[in-house]
Amino acid sequence: MEPSLLDQLPRAPVTRFAPSPTGELHLGHVANAVWTWGVARAAGGTVLFRIEDHDRGRSRPQHEAQILADLAWLGLEPDGESRSLLTPGGPSPWRQSDCDADYRRAISDLRRATTVYGCSCSRARIARDTDMGQQAPGQEIRYPGSCRERGLPLGAPGVGTRAVLPDDAVAFADLRLGTQLQRPAHQSGDLMLRDAVGNWTYQFAVTVDDLRHGVTLVVRGEDLLESTGRQILLGQLLGREAPATFLHHPLIMGDSGAKLSKRDGAVSLRSLRQGGATPTQVLREAAERTQFPVELGWF
């Protein structure tokens, strides 16, 4: 950990904790919460709360309710109206599934800034067109633009939506990892905004949300580092004048050596609580396992 992290923090940042209700929170989510609230509190900032249920096939209302209960048990209180407008369970600007109009407006804005087109490519076709067998292990598959000239109608059944990203190099400074240089058009190719079954994608929805919610500091795990350049470019196309500041923190790893997940034996917070764990114990374990700097501790 760089000793100058505290000095690099923007003053009074606006950040967010934004879980997906596709399962219950576990220690990996707590690690992100520790870094998000810890950094925000150290810099006199604000923590917003957002439900990222863009994957409607996997998201469940009961998981959203459990997430709210887990945060209350941990003593982590979001700022402003973001939590209070979610608690009643009605439509909320802090729940992605309630914000189709915002995403549709963003698509209209993008169409004035770049080429947006329909795409019916399946994963199998993309793998075939990119010769997936030649990819190095873990290497991202670049979409080759197979549908760019086909003129498929946006919103038609089985047709997703993609946007052409400028072929620009993006340099940004991560507060923990230092200067990063990415070329999104070479990493991912044309970016998927909405899939063929109508789900807004993570890359698109989170960029639109951070812009409309005024987020100035994004705190998230290292596994999302490669997403940053494309989100910065997408934000520019949507009219964002200055990108957010980014901090990518270490992950808690499971027994397999991969990111901790339910499939890899992660125990839910509800189970930890039922087993006698205290909020302080859970918060401290998450902090220790991700090398959270003690000088930023608030618990």
Side-chain angles (χ1 to χ4, degrees):
M1 174 59 58
E2 291 290 335
S4 58
L5 174 60
L6 185 58
D7 296 331
Q8 297 180 64
L9 291 174
R11 300 313 303 168
V14 177
T15 188
R16 77 294 198 272
F17 181 66
S20 297
T22 56
E24 296 188 18
L25 295 187
H26 54 68
L27 201 61
H29 299 107
V30 178
N32 180 245
V34 164
W35 280 80
T36 300
W37 263 272
V39 167
R41 294 299 179 249
T46 298
V47 179
L48 304 176
F49 180 65
R50 184 166 72 220
I51 289 292
E52 295 193 344
D53 61 346
H54 53 88
D55 187 343
R56 301 185 191 185
R58 296 175 59 221
S59 297
R60 299 289 183 271
Q62 63 267 31
H63 293 321
E64 179 179 325
Q66 187 61 50
I67 288 169
L68 290 166
D70 287 340
L71 284 182
W73 178 69
L74 288 170
L76 299 176
E77 184 65 33
D79 299 305
E81 65 179 15
S82 56
R83 177 168 180 166
S84 64
L85 290 184
L86 281 164
T87 303
S92 171
W94 303 96
R95 182 185 297 109
Q96 289 179 334
S97 61
D98 294 330
C99 298
D100 271 2
D102 296 283
Y103 304 133
R104 292 181 186 278
R105 280 193 294 270
I107 291 287
S108 296
D109 292 341
L110 278 178
R111 297 185 73 175
R112 291 191 286 270
T114 189
T115 300
V116 176
Y117 64 91
C119 175
S120 64
C121 289
S122 64
R123 291 181 181 272
R125 175 172 178 172
I126 295 172
R128 183 181 68 245
D129 290 350
T130 56
D131 194 7
M132 184 177 173
Q134 301 300 313
Q135 298 286 326
Q139 182 179 351
E140 183 175 8
I141 297 176
R142 179 182 181 274
Y143 179 68
S146 307
C147 286
R148 192 184 292 181
E149 306 300 330
R150 294 181 64 195
L152 297 174
L154 297 181
V159 176
T161 304
R162 288 188 184 270
V164 177
L165 294 178
D167 189 10
D168 296 338
V170 180
F172 62 94
D174 183 273
L175 295 183
R176 175 175 161 266
L177 301 175
T179 301
Q180 306 290 312
L181 183 65
Q182 297 177 358
R183 197 152 200 161
H186 289 213
Q187 293 169 258
S188 62
D190 298 344
L191 194 64
M192 182 67 85
L193 310 177
R194 197 173 195 181
D195 67 22
V197 297
N199 289 319
W200 302 106
T201 66
Y202 164 76
Q203 303 289 353
F204 176 63
V206 74
T207 303
V208 174
D209 290 343
D210 284 348
L211 180 58
R212 68 192 179 96
H213 292 154
V215 171
T216 60
L217 173 64
V218 174
V219 181
R220 59 189 182 191
E222 288 179 344
D223 57 322
L224 292 170
L225 178 64
E226 296 302 313
S227 295
T228 304
R230 69 200 66 174
Q231 291 176 11
I232 290 174
L233 280 184
L234 193 54
Q236 291 172 348
L237 292 172
L238 288 169
R240 182 159 191 160
E241 296 181 1
T245 302
F246 291 87
L247 193 165
H248 291 85
H249 60 74
L251 304 173
I252 295 180
M253 311 306 287
D255 293 338
S256 68
K259 174 185 174 182
L260 185 66
S261 67
K262 188 173 182 179
R263 288 177 297 181
D264 202 26
V267 179
S268 71
L269 289 193
R270 179 167 58 171
S271 295
L272 290 173
R273 179 166 68 252
Q274 291 172 346
T278 68
T280 298
Q281 288 172 336
V282 172
L283 291 166
R284 287 196 178 278
E285 181 178 355
E288 290 170 1
R289 292 181 64 175
T290 55
Q291 303 162 25
F292 183 74
V294 294
E295 66 269 21
L296 298 186
W298 82 103
F299 46 83

